[in-house]
Amino acid sequence: MALSPELRRALASRLAYYRELGIYDFYRRPITSSLSAGSAAADLSNPNEVAIQPEQREEMSPRKSAAVQADRGSVFEVLTPRSESGVSDPIRALKLIREDLGDCTRCRLAKQGRKQIVFGVGDPKAELMFIGEAPGADEDQQGEPFVGRAGQLLTNMIKAMGLEREQVYIANIIKCRPPNNRTPERDECETCSPFLMRQIAAIKPKVIVALGAVAARTLLAINDSMSNLRGRWYEFAPTGVRSEDPSWNSAKLAVTYHPAFLLRDPRQKKEAWKDLQMVMKELGLKPPAKAVE
Ligand code: URA
């Protein structure tokens, strides 16, 4: 494969970084393919439409993207040593990952006003995972992802799919609140996302829903608009980790709008509902008979 000078430079600096960490072994994996799927229109009305989190942008300019330009689909994967190696029980594995994270000071966010680390919440054996961007003020306060206004909407979206919040797993690309809820920086995503990758490998979800542009671009390493990223399936294998379960090596990933964006532009709820219906079809879920409030 011919590499562009830009990619070569990026790879060289990435490899130097891993060498500094004492990681020397790499393996190559085949490029993953994407699948397409259909969708249907519906209304995702929500009475909890409260004020907006102004910091949440949906369509990001490429310049501002904090997406990790990861190795996915390009050249190398790196396997990092993990304390949960050999642990197949997801509950135990998540505990070990959390312990490993500790009172993390690996990036500047530890010193920029974060109250606590927001690890993730939900069923460690969930078939469905939602991944957002970063904790906001409420999440930082409570130590749980998506508990603020956007979180209320996410909870309603989950209910509209015929599930309870406790039946899914919810996490973010980064685990600490950025000051003034700014978009996470690329190096913050790079430092933090390996822990998310390990969580994903421990949980082994069938389906991951990336909420918003930062989550989608970071997970997929594709710097594209939300309208291009939505409406199809991607095959997602967590970078740098292998599951303990040989029968699981990837999840199907769908992209939808961030709930904070939907609060700002409720007309897009119809589109988000199409994305969720695509997910429901994949998981064999039926919406509850009674309308969700
Ligand atoms: N927005 C996010 O992306 N994550 C949260 O946990 C809350 C708001």
Side-chain angles (χ1 to χ4, degrees), residues 142-215:
Q142 296 182 43
E144 183 171 327
F146 284 98
V147 289
R149 291 170 298 196
Q152 281 173 27
L153 178 53
L154 177 61
T155 304
N156 282 334
M157 289 159 71
I158 293 166
K159 284 187 175 155
M161 297 173 78
L163 291 170
E164 293 300 322
R165 192 176 152 100
E166 296 71 29
Q167 291 177 280
V168 305
Y169 195 90
I170 307 172
N172 283 305
I173 296 292
I174 64 166
K175 302 193 187 311
C176 295
R177 183 192 182 198
N180 303 316
N181 299 340
R182 66 156 167 74
T183 304
E185 301 284 351
R186 178 187 162 145
D187 63 317
E188 294 158 0
C189 294
E190 282 185 332
T191 305
C192 203
S193 60
F195 290 93
L196 174 64
M197 297 301 145
R198 290 164 62 182
Q199 285 170 281
I200 295 170
I203 295 165
K204 304 177 289 169
K206 275 193 185 150
V207 170
I208 294 173
V209 177
L211 299 166
V214 169

Side-chain angles (χ1 to χ4, degrees), residues 53 56 132-136 139 145-146 172 258:
Q53 292 183 332
Q56 296 288 357
E133 177 178 326
E139 291 76 23
F146 284 98
N172 283 305
H258 194 287

Side-chain angles (χ1 to χ4, degrees), residues 82-189:
R82 300 174 293 134
S83 55
E84 72 278 20
S85 288
V87 177
S88 55
D89 174 23
I91 301 170
R92 179 95 193 104
L94 287 177
K95 250 185 143 181
L96 290 167
I97 298 165
R98 181 65 191 88
E99 278 170 22
D100 225 7
L101 190 59
D103 189 22
C104 185
T105 54
R106 291 169 181 83
C107 85
R108 65 180 80 76
L109 294 177
K111 295 199 185 93
Q112 295 191 343
R114 126 192 136 195
K115 284 201 175 63
Q116 54 186 316
I117 292 166
V118 180
F119 184 67
V121 73
D123 182 357
K125 300 180 185 172
E127 288 196 338
L128 176 58
M129 234 179 130
F130 288 90
I131 300 179
E133 177 178 326
D138 295 305
E139 291 76 23
D140 185 49
Q141 189 73 41
Q142 296 182 43
E144 183 171 327
F146 284 98
V147 289
R149 291 170 298 196
Q152 281 173 27
L153 178 53
L154 177 61
T155 304
N156 282 334
M157 289 159 71
I158 293 166
K159 284 187 175 155
M161 297 173 78
L163 291 170
E164 293 300 322
R165 192 176 152 100
E166 296 71 29
Q167 291 177 280
V168 305
Y169 195 90
I170 307 172
N172 283 305
I173 296 292
I174 64 166
K175 302 193 187 311
C176 295
R177 183 192 182 198
N180 303 316
N181 299 340
R182 66 156 167 74
T183 304
E185 301 284 351
R186 178 187 162 145
D187 63 317
E188 294 158 0
C189 294

Side-chain angles (χ1 to χ4, degrees), residues 10-81:
L11 263 173
S13 92
R14 178 66 71 94
L15 289 172
Y17 168 68
Y18 286 126
R19 255 181 242 119
E20 270 173 40
L21 294 176
I23 299 162
Y24 298 94
D25 297 331
F26 304 89
Y27 74 94
R28 194 173 173 160
R29 82 144 130 242
I31 292 168
T32 53
S33 62
S34 60
L35 308 159
S36 65
S39 53
D43 182 22
L44 185 64
S45 57
N46 167 39
N48 282 335
E49 271 168 30
V50 272
I52 298 144
Q53 292 183 332
E55 70 282 1
Q56 296 288 357
R57 294 168 295 278
E58 196 64 357
E59 297 291 346
M60 296 161 59
S61 71
R63 180 64 204 91
K64 285 201 175 144
S65 167
V68 176
Q69 298 303 313
D71 315 309
R72 178 164 324 290
S74 57
V75 190
F76 297 111
E77 289 292 326
V78 180
L79 290 181
T80 43

